Amino acid sequence: MTPLLEAQAIAVSRRLERTDVQCGPGERIAVIGPNGAGKTSLLRALAGIELNEGNVTVEGEDVASAPPPRRMRLLGFLPATRALVWPISVRDVIALGLPLPDAGRVNELVDMLELGRFANRPVNSLSTGERSRVLFARALAARPRLLLLDEPLSNLDPYWVLETLRILRNVVSETRCAVLASLHNLEQIRDFDRVLLVAKGRVVANRTPQDIVASDALAEAFRIERAGDAWRIRPPGDRRSSP
């Protein structure tokens, strides 16, 4: 498979060591790791927000040198923060993700994310979960080839967790874009094709969801292990370096 994303990156924050990432068209990749491991730094480096060294290309195009309208077509970014302090409307926030005005596309996303009843309200008057959906719509707006989503399922109720995953499946199926999404809930990785485990500023495992769940790498990083259908804290005596 020809890579859609090819990157060698170091984050400005220095929470991320030099990291090589490749992602193919239509791939959905979950990024997991304990708090402070470097998940957000990885996504922000790939988005060019905290890229100190290295380069990021999407379908052979260098993201850093692309003009802003083209950059929107190459990648969409959903930040972990849902803080929006400007009193601008939901429709206008979504439109910020478009390289050119397109009221039809805004309306399509308003319908997709069920934002109609407050589409004209100031975005800073919405709940955190509602703002999450607005920012997700903005990330999708330009139909980018790469979606970088930092905790896209956080702050959502159970319906919207399932609906967001369904929307992602549909978008990937229709456009063959690639997705990298950081997650905290390990049960949600089963909806992805591949998992990057980040620990201490580097990718320590790159496996299928089935393989990563049972791996020593995951147990070492999170200090937990699978016990039947549940998780348990790994006994201190069982902790050892991953191969």
Side-chain angles (χ1 to χ4, degrees), residues 11-17 35-39 41 198 200-202:
V12 172
S13 66
R14 294 296 180 183
R15 280 194 173 182
L16 183 71
E17 296 181 10
N35 294 336
K39 301 184 297 298
S41 293
V198 180
K200 298 179 180 179
R202 62 189 183 92

Side-chain angles (χ1 to χ4, degrees), residues 190-240:
R190 68 185 67 186
D191 212 72
F192 291 76
D193 305 307
R194 189 154 51 98
V195 181
L196 300 183
L197 172 59
V198 180
K200 298 179 180 179
R202 62 189 183 92
V203 175
V204 297
N206 178 358
R207 305 185 187 180
T208 65
Q210 295 82 1
D211 288 344
I212 202 77
V213 164
S215 70
D216 280 341
L218 184 144
E220 286 292 326
F222 284 100
R223 298 186 293 173
I224 62 173
E225 61 188 7
R226 198 70 173 173
D229 293 332
W231 294 94
R232 69 180 181 189
I233 294 175
R234 196 178 206 197
D238 290 345
R239 295 174 190 163
R240 57 190 182 277

Side-chain angles (χ1 to χ4, degrees), residues 48-79:
I49 298 169
E50 289 188 358
L51 184 64
N52 190 43
E53 297 177 24
N55 59 81
V56 178
T57 63
V58 176
E59 293 187 329
E61 292 189 51
D62 181 67
V63 171
S65 61
R70 180 58 184 162
R71 183 186 176 89
M72 290 180 178
R73 305 280 190 194
L74 293 177
L75 67 85
F77 178 65
L78 172 68

